[in-house]
Amino acid sequence: MNSLRSMLFVPAVDRRKIDKALGTPADCVILDLEDAVALADKSRARDLARDVLKAAGPKCVYVRVNGVTTPFVVGDLLVVVGGVPDGIMLPKVESGEEVLRVDWLLGQLEEDSGLVRGQIDLIPLIETARGVLKAGEIAATCPRVKRTAFGAVDYTLDLGVSLSQEGEELFYPRSRLVVTARAAGREGPVDSVYPDVGDQVGLERECRLARKLGFQGKLAIHPAQIDVINEIFTPTRNEIEFAAKVARAFASAEKEGVAAIRLGGRFIDYPVAAQAARILEKARLLGLYREDDK
């Protein structure tokens, strides 16, 4: 399990913006070869992405390649895999078969590059009605897929509806992505970008909703969005402290053969203890909790 609260898109043709993105507190930077790159610049963007990957250091870096129905995806993968990205984001995925095609090619390229087969993660970006209906199939396709992501802008475009601040039109696809991810044994998905960069209040509201629904983090299009996203998708100090109390109390009760207790007025059983364990695991990954803090 990784902690991907924030994933920041940056055009793979702009070295200045890339360097700025790599210096942000985003959990991951996504070098974008798709929507942010003009057709004439596709080749140059690939080469720059590969060079950036080789020099990125410990920062988590993914590459959003072009979709499987475009003439660019094979060239994208042939170039960028040599830079050893942490992962590939595959846009506009509409079936498990599309994922399998990319998974197979990635495996061949990994072996040719001396990498472990399956080393590079793959995040299918679900952005259409067909993709939403196939979300479970897509999530369960192969071990390389640890999580999916949602693209609301293209989704609403596909449906011919407006993307609203309230987001009622997104309740169904968001819920479906979360439920299908869980049913496939995957991590919580990553939520769509919030396109209004200047609206911090709206961004915060949408982040809180996404977290409540079960998303693990959110895509971003500007460095100014990262602090809000990270804050809301990080367990609070109170959540961590209560989870630690639950873990201690429940472990002690289990030793006595008891599987249901009361703690601070709350009923604690196996599901509550499991939720506490998840919070502590995420806090541990973020450096906010250690086992000896118990």
Side-chain angles (χ1 to χ4, degrees):
M1 176 181 177
N2 296 318
S3 176
L4 293 178
R5 301 165 299 175
S6 53
M7 302 185 77
L8 175 62
F9 283 113
V10 61
V13 288
D14 192 323
R15 187 58 190 254
R16 183 187 63 83
K17 289 183 179 179
I18 291 172
D19 290 341
K20 183 176 180 180
L22 292 172
T24 68
D27 289 335
C28 181
V29 170
I30 305 172
L31 304 178
D32 191 7
L33 300 178
E34 192 211 14
D35 287 345
V37 178
L39 295 180
D41 286 332
K42 294 292 187 183
S43 180
R44 182 169 68 88
R46 292 168 180 160
D47 292 338
L48 180 55
R50 179 192 55 207
D51 293 344
V52 168
L53 288 166
K54 289 181 176 180
K59 189 76 172 184
C60 175
V61 182
Y62 278 57
V63 177
R64 177 163 72 170
V65 297
N66 289 275
V68 296
T69 60
T70 73
F72 306 109
V73 62
V74 173
D76 291 344
L77 294 171
L78 285 171
V79 174
V80 302
V81 167
V84 195
D86 292 282
I88 296 294
M89 178 169 281
L90 185 65
K92 298 178 178 65
V93 177
E94 295 191 325
S95 70
E97 193 272 336
E98 293 178 351
V99 176
L100 285 175
R101 277 190 258 167
V102 174
D103 172 58
W104 178 86
L105 180 54
L106 276 174
Q108 299 301 310
L109 294 174
E110 284 167 333
E111 290 185 354
D112 290 346
S113 300
L115 306 176
V116 177
R117 193 180 185 97
Q119 174 177 330
I120 298 173
D121 284 352
L122 180 60
I123 297 182
L125 183 57
I126 296 174
E127 307 178 80
T128 65
R130 186 184 297 272
V132 169
L133 288 180
K134 295 282 190 175
E137 171 188 307
I138 291 166
T141 300
C142 62
R144 196 189 297 274
V145 176
K146 297 180 176 63
R147 65 197 73 78
T148 57
F150 178 47
V153 176
D154 281 291
Y155 172 79
T156 53
L157 177 64
D158 186 35
L159 264 64
V161 301
S162 297
L163 183 60
S164 69
Q165 284 191 332
E166 295 77 15
E168 292 101 329
E169 69 281 357
L170 304 178
F171 285 159
Y172 172 72
R174 279 179 168 145
S175 297
R176 185 171 178 87
L177 258 69
V178 170
V179 172
T180 55
R182 185 63 201 142
R186 302 302 191 238
E187 298 175 11
V190 181
D191 192 35
S192 178
V193 301
Y194 187 74
D196 189 345
V197 174
D199 183 9
Q200 295 288 85
V201 174
L203 172 64
E204 179 178 344
R205 179 179 62 246
E206 190 163 282
C207 287
R208 293 194 187 282
L209 172 62
R211 185 182 174 189
K212 285 181 180 179
L213 289 174
F215 285 84
Q216 67 167 288
K218 194 165 182 65
L219 302 171
I221 53 174
H222 194 279
Q225 297 178 318
I226 300 304
D227 287 341
V228 171
I229 294 173
N230 281 350
E231 178 183 354
I232 293 172
F233 285 97
T234 299
T236 66
R237 174 51 53 187
N238 287 341
E239 287 174 329
I240 296 170
E241 290 177 352
F242 183 73
K245 289 179 182 178
V246 168
R248 288 196 300 268
F250 199 75
S252 178
E254 270 195 315
K255 291 179 180 178
E256 302 297 324
V258 178
I261 60 174
R262 289 177 65 88
L263 180 64
R266 289 189 57 180
F267 178 76
I268 309 298
D269 58 2
Y270 278 110
V272 178
Q275 179 64 18
R278 288 186 184 179
I279 291 173
L280 295 180
E281 174 62 10
K282 184 160 190 176
R284 184 188 64 77
L285 290 169
L286 294 170
L288 302 175
Y289 175 78
R290 297 176 303 175
E291 291 300 319
D292 54 10
D293 289 342
K294 293 182 180 182

